[in-house]
Amino acid sequence: VIDPGHGGKDVGAIGINGIQEKDVALSIAKEIIRLNKTLLNSKFDIYSTRYKDTLISLSDRSRLAKSLNADVFVSLHCNASKTSSKGTDVYVHKTNHEEIRTKESIAMGLSILEESTLKLGFKKRGIQFANFQVLRENTKYRPSILIEMGFVTNTDEADYFLKPKNIIAMALSILMGCITI
């Protein structure tokens, strides 16, 4: 399950030139699905928590993953900061680090970080631990991560997300990061 964060009236972060987190996340989710179909011949059954600009509750996002018995849960977001922060980080549920799903989540997160930072040139901010609801409700059942793909408040990263070819590149890095685990 790919989870493009925010949606509808919840725009998420608003960045440089009015770029909205919800739009970036949805564009990348759609591109992940398209690349799976065109490049990988639909190797994966990928579902999205939303396919258009609608607000889906956090609980419904988790319920969808549970009802589909999803193998992984990947939530897509963009970061924001009042300072000149930049880079990509991946969040994993703050839980007992010995749990198998936590270890798998960390491995998937590291794989995606490697793809997005080494191949796309984003600064690697690392794996972070948090108690986000979508992670808390999914980690028991499947490897689950929340990716902060970059800062929409950083001029370079906001400009990056305005170019369709870069949306494809980020989507491909996430898809390839999921494949390599």
Side-chain angles (χ1 to χ4, degrees), residues 15-16 18 59-60 63 71 78 88 92 122 128 135 167 174:
I16 306 295
S59 296
D60 284 346
R63 273 195 279 278
D71 294 319
C78 293
T88 301
V92 173
F122 277 76
Q128 314 292 334
L135 296 178
I167 295 294
I174 293 167

Side-chain angles (χ1 to χ4, degrees), residues 1-10 48-66 73 75 77 132-138 146:
V1 169
I2 299 295
D3 173 40
H6 306 284
K9 66 182 178 181
D10 178 7
S48 183
T49 56
R50 65 184 180 96
Y51 293 90
K52 56 187 179 178
D53 187 18
T54 54
L55 180 61
I56 309 296
S57 75
L58 297 176
S59 296
D60 284 346
R61 293 166 192 259
S62 298
R63 273 195 279 278
L64 175 66
K66 186 175 181 180
F73 183 88
S75 191
H77 292 266
F132 298 137
Q133 183 176 345
V134 292
L135 296 178
R136 186 174 59 245
E137 291 178 354
N138 277 288
L146 184 147

Side-chain angles (χ1 to χ4, degrees), residues 35-36 53 62 65 73-74 79-80 99 130 133 138 159 168 179:
L35 290 169
N36 176 58
D53 187 18
S62 298
F73 183 88
V74 178
N79 226 329
E99 288 185 28
Q133 183 176 345
N138 277 288
D159 287 347
I168 294 168
I179 288 173

Side-chain angles (χ1 to χ4, degrees), residues 81-149:
S81 173
K82 294 184 189 304
T83 63
S84 60
S85 299
K86 62 182 180 178
T88 301
D89 22 26
V90 173
Y91 285 85
V92 173
H93 184 246
K94 185 178 183 178
T95 185
N96 177 354
H97 302 306
E98 296 304 312
E99 288 185 28
I100 188 72
R101 296 293 184 220
T102 300
K103 288 180 180 178
E104 292 171 344
S105 297
I106 292 169
M108 181 170 59
L110 286 171
S111 179
I112 290 171
L113 270 176
E114 290 301 308
E115 289 289 330
S116 63
T117 59
L118 291 176
K119 297 193 175 133
L120 302 181
F122 277 76
K123 176 184 175 189
K124 184 192 298 184
R125 294 172 52 95
I127 300 288
Q128 314 292 334
F129 294 91
N131 193 25
F132 298 137
Q133 183 176 345
V134 292
L135 296 178
R136 186 174 59 245
E137 291 178 354
N138 277 288
T139 299
K140 288 183 250 177
Y141 309 105
R142 64 200 52 84
S144 303
I145 60 171
L146 184 147
I147 307 168
E148 294 283 2
M149 299 176 285

